[in-house]
Amino acid sequence: MIHRRLQMFRDRYLDFWGIVTIGSIVIIAVLLIFPLTRLILASFMTQEGTFTSTDNFSIIETYIEFFSEPYYYETLLNSFFVSILATIFSVIIGVPVAYLIHRIAIPGKIFIRVAIVLTFVSPPFIGAYAWILLLGRNGVITGWLQMIGITLPSIYGWGGIVLVFTLQSFPFVFLMMLSGLRSVDQSLEDAGINMGRSPFGVFWTVILPLVIPSISTGALLVFVTTFSDFGTPMIIGEGYRVLASLVYREFINEFGGNPRLASTLSILMLTVTFGALLIQRQFARRASFDQETVTPLGLRKVSTTKMVIATVIVYGIVFTAFLPSLTIVVSSFLESRGPLLIGEFTLDGYLTATRLPAAFRNSLVLVLVSTALCVVIGTLMGYVVVRRKNRITAIIDTMSMTPYAVAGVVMGVSISISFGGDPFFLYGTSLILILSYFIRRLPYTVRSVSGFLYQMGAQTEEASINLGVPPGRTFLQVTLPQIAPAVLSGALLTMATIAREFSSTVILYSGRTRTLPVEVFAQVLQGNFADASVVGTVLIAFTLVPIVVLFKVFGKNEQALL
């Protein structure tokens, strides 16, 4: 009887997909749940590294200190201030730009797509130092305007942070708005116009309410991304403190870090981002409408004057957002004298960039290895959450998406606390970076594969298994060739996002594992703008290559980036 029950257990739970399910749980537990749990526990530890003390309040001392000291709680208020402003401005810009591009035949949409994609995939802090080159105290545009007697407000401080955040992040709202517009049926607009509404009235009362959930998702992505960014405030903020930069400074301090306080700050960041996610989901659920799209919204015929106005607005906004990337590329070919760039063409910057080869090699190796892990494990995980539906796989599905809401700096701190010291001692190694990249970017492949499988029937797989082919071999020989486009699409998107990963890298790297984003950041902080432009140009190209392949080979559009 016992033998029979063991056999039934093995047949039911220890087949190929049962083992994959167990392995998925182990991976999530070790690389996500365990580090976040260690992070929470670290924030409650006493100075002696224990949870017990004669002082009942000592285990929450850092939380009390945070909310009682203006130096600390003001950073939280500052983070909310700049992130909320960036979110509002991103919505104000992203919604009309998406609508104009979708509804009006604006010329040169290919250029607009390329510019927005390049803005989207470029690391955020690159825009910060590009605007310093343009509008800083010795900036190009600043100098031109001063020659004619015009003095601009300072680019430094919270204003510059909001500017960079907005121009870097409005593509989130733009892309989600486009997605929402594609789900609206043309008949709804026609009915509104037939009832006497103006085109603007139809947009305001009919179309906008239908796409509110999409806009709220884009706004959430803007808020979470900007709230988690510390590179931009450190470069252009000039002392304007935000929570993310405080986490970095407390954890990485030349006079000795304070992991306990950094853990507390990280938990507060995690609470805010998860709270924003829950609020947005609740709002989107209440604001959503059930609708079927037969004929999506098409182009509208407008007068030449309106066409010109729409074109000027769209090109003005997109060019402004694209200008930092263009500035980086152009300045990489200019001669420099110290921190100043001179308008003379040269390739010396690329020939004398002594630290570029090592940073590029590190990025290439880390990206390839991490992407390979994400593809293999993410593909298997994506399969089990669709084809092996049960309570366990539902948990796997939810937990595999959790890294979306975990800020890079928070993930870096939690991974460092868990694996950087005793007993693993992985801090500064390639392995700890790979583990961080893997768990951070695993959702891309899981979502790509699971989304494809939801649209694909299981009849072919079932027929193969009924003919006696084992489940594992059926997956390799039957299923995998069918889902290969989704796997490769997820792999390319994973490569692009890992290549630009900065927030977790800067917590975990060492001199031997310095990557391209870290090298750009280091050169900017040292005032070497010419060297930073060279490395930044290589990083932009490195990040853009997989995106170009994704669009050209697989026929994807900007929606694949979300």
Side-chain angles (χ1 to χ4, degrees):
M1 180 65 69
I2 296 177
H3 176 75
R4 184 181 301 173
R5 289 184 177 179
L6 289 174
Q7 184 64 38
M8 292 176 61
F9 177 83
R10 284 195 296 266
D11 292 341
R12 184 173 182 180
Y13 297 104
L14 296 182
D15 62 351
F16 177 77
W17 292 115
I19 294 173
V20 170
T21 301
I22 294 173
S24 299
I25 295 173
V26 171
I27 289 171
I28 291 173
V30 172
L31 296 182
L32 184 62
I33 298 176
F34 172 66
L36 293 180
T37 302
R38 283 290 305 269
L39 183 70
I40 295 172
L41 295 177
S43 70
F44 290 106
M45 283 186 175
T46 63
Q47 295 291 351
E48 295 76 22
T50 65
F51 296 101
T52 59
S53 175
T54 55
D55 182 357
N56 293 330
F57 294 98
S58 63
I59 63 172
I60 59 172
E61 178 184 355
T62 52
Y63 289 93
I64 296 174
E65 182 181 4
F66 179 87
F67 288 106
S68 60
E69 294 290 338
Y71 177 84
Y72 291 119
Y73 67 72
E74 284 178 359
T75 61
L76 178 61
L77 298 178
N78 290 344
S79 293
F80 274 115
F81 179 69
V82 294
S83 296
I84 290 174
L85 280 182
T87 302
I88 293 172
F89 288 133
S90 294
V91 171
I92 292 174
I93 293 174
V95 169
V97 169
Y99 184 81
L100 292 175
I101 289 178
H102 186 73
R103 303 303 312 280
I104 298 177
I106 294 175
K109 289 188 178 181
I110 293 179
F111 166 75
I112 295 173
R113 289 181 62 190
V114 171
I116 290 178
V117 168
L118 192 57
T119 300
F120 186 87
V121 301
S122 298
F125 61 86
I126 281 186
Y129 91 83
W131 282 110
I132 290 177
L133 294 177
L134 294 170
L135 297 177
R137 296 182 181 90
N138 296 313
V140 176
I141 297 177
T142 303
W144 290 342
L145 293 178
Q146 285 178 345
M147 292 175 62
I148 58 176
I150 299 177
T151 302
L152 293 176
S154 174
I155 191 65
Y156 304 97
W158 67 266
I161 296 173
V162 172
L163 172 68
V164 175
F165 278 170
T166 301
L167 295 177
Q168 183 74 33
S169 302
F170 88 88
F172 283 116
V173 179
F174 169 84
L175 295 176
M176 294 307 304
M177 178 66 177
L178 279 183
S179 178
L181 289 172
R182 293 187 180 113
S183 66
V184 178
D185 196 272
Q186 180 65 52
S187 62
L188 297 174
E189 182 181 58
D190 295 339
I193 292 176
N194 291 336
M195 294 178 68
R197 294 282 183 133
S198 65
F200 179 78
V202 172
F203 169 78
W204 190 257
T205 60
V206 178
I207 296 176
L208 188 61
L210 294 174
V211 297
I212 282 294
S214 297
I215 296 173
S216 69
T217 302
L220 169 71
L221 294 172
V222 173
F223 178 81
V224 171
T225 301
T226 55
F227 193 86
S228 307
D229 185 5
F230 71 90
T232 298
M234 289 187 68
I235 290 174
I236 206 170
E238 282 204 342
Y240 190 87
R241 302 187 311 277
V242 296
L243 194 57
S245 59
L246 191 60
V247 172
Y248 171 76
R249 287 169 178 162
E250 291 294 340
F251 194 78
I252 306 294
N253 192 306
E254 60 181 332
F255 300 109
N258 188 344
R260 184 189 181 200
L261 181 56
S263 300
T264 300
L265 301 176
S266 298
I267 294 301
L268 294 172
M269 283 192 65
L270 195 61
T271 302
V272 171
T273 53
F274 265 106
L277 176 62
L278 295 176
I279 292 172
Q280 186 276 330
R281 284 191 173 183
Q282 185 67 20
F283 173 78
R285 188 179 298 111
R286 292 183 177 182
S288 62
F289 297 88
D290 292 330
Q291 55 178 320
E292 294 183 3
T293 305
V294 178
T295 304
L297 288 173
L299 294 174
R300 288 184 55 232
K301 293 182 179 180
V302 297
S303 65
T304 302
T305 301
K306 291 182 178 179
M307 169 77 75
V308 172
I309 294 174
T311 302
V312 171
I313 292 174
V314 170
Y315 270 83
I317 292 173
V318 172
F319 178 76
T320 303
F322 176 69
L323 188 58
S325 297
L326 181 63
T327 301
I328 299 305
V329 175
V330 171
S331 60
S332 71
F333 294 100
L334 298 180
E335 186 177 344
S336 64
R337 292 178 184 172
L340 300 178
L341 297 173
I342 302 172
E344 296 182 10
F345 177 84
T346 180
L347 293 175
D348 290 345
Y350 290 89
L351 298 177
T352 59
T354 56
R355 298 201 299 193
L356 174 59
F360 179 80
R361 182 174 60 253
N362 289 336
S363 288
L364 181 62
V365 172
L366 293 171
V367 166
L368 293 178
V369 174
S370 303
T371 300
L373 287 174
C374 287
V375 167
V376 174
I377 297 175
T379 300
L380 296 174
M381 199 176 292
Y383 184 92
V384 298
V385 300
V386 176
R387 293 288 193 255
R388 308 276 292 192
K389 288 185 177 180
N390 53 53
R391 292 180 180 179
I392 296 177
T393 57
I395 294 174
I396 293 174
D397 188 19
T398 301
M399 296 305 298
S400 67
M401 297 296 112
T402 300
Y404 273 132
V406 181
V409 65
V410 174
M411 184 65 74
V413 171
S414 64
I415 292 287
S416 178
I417 290 174
S418 302
F419 303 106
D422 185 38
F424 302 102
F425 299 106
L426 297 180
Y427 185 81
T429 64
S430 297
L431 179 57
I432 199 170
L433 289 170
I434 290 171
L435 294 178
S436 176
Y437 294 163
F438 163 71
I439 196 63
R440 282 263 292 158
R441 304 307 175 186
L442 180 63
Y444 287 106
T445 303
V446 174
R447 188 181 66 171
S448 180
V449 170
S450 61
F452 193 93
L453 286 171
Y454 276 122
Q455 303 174 13
M456 189 181 81
Q459 295 86 351
T460 307
E461 303 165 42
E462 294 171 353
S464 175
I465 294 174
N466 291 336
L467 290 171
V469 180
R473 187 181 300 174
T474 295
F475 174 77
L476 292 174
Q477 297 179 350
V478 177
T479 309
L480 190 58
Q482 296 182 69
I483 64 174
V487 174
L488 293 176
S489 175
L492 291 168
L493 190 54
T494 301
M495 288 181 63
T497 53
I498 292 177
R500 69 193 287 268
E501 177 63 34
F502 170 72
S503 296
S504 62
T505 307
V506 78
I507 296 291
L508 300 169
Y509 86 103
S510 66
R512 295 179 293 106
T513 54
R514 179 176 296 204
T515 61
L516 288 173
V518 172
E519 183 63 28
V520 175
F521 187 70
Q523 295 291 355
V524 172
L525 291 184
Q526 295 169 14
N528 301 327
F529 294 130
D531 293 338
S533 297
V534 170
V535 182
T537 300
V538 174
L539 175 58
I540 290 172
F542 188 26
T543 306
L544 196 59
V545 166
I547 297 298
V548 172
V549 175
L550 183 67
F551 288 174
K552 289 293 185 180
V553 176
F554 295 98
K556 299 289 184 178
N557 56 30
E558 297 91 338
Q559 295 302 119
L561 297 175
L562 294 174

